Amino acid sequence: SLQRHLKLSGFSFRELLEQARYDTAIGMLANTDETISDIALRLGYPEPTHFARAFRRMAGVSPGQYRSLHS
């Protein structure tokens, strides 16, 4: 199964999902005018605050700060 293969590779499904969401988010923040709330919902976060917290954990800055620095 996928989870077994991920475990053998040293990843969990959650880590893979978070990385995919982060990679997509940085592209959307830098290249679109979508609101941060809309990006959060499109990425499957139930609340924009959950997205902001996860993004800050990965990037070290808030989504708004990242957008300011990279657009």
Side-chain angles (χ1 to χ4, degrees):
S1 74
L2 176 61
Q3 288 183 334
R4 186 176 34 219
H5 287 283
L6 289 171
K7 187 175 181 179
L8 291 173
S9 298
F11 294 101
S12 71
F13 179 76
R14 182 172 180 83
E15 291 169 329
L16 189 62
L17 177 61
E18 285 185 13
Q19 186 64 49
R21 284 176 163 173
Y22 174 73
D23 292 343
T24 303
I26 59 174
M28 293 175 79
L29 289 167
N31 300 311
T32 72
D33 291 332
E34 282 192 68
T35 66
I36 292 170
S37 294
D38 286 342
I39 291 172
L41 294 174
R42 285 178 50 123
L43 293 175
Y45 288 93
E47 297 289 331
T49 55
H50 294 164
F51 167 64
R53 194 175 307 121
F55 189 89
R56 183 182 293 274
R57 187 173 51 249
M58 299 280 289
V61 295
S62 72
Q65 290 169 322
Y66 184 89
R67 177 173 267 169
S68 295
L69 295 169
H70 295 93
S71 54

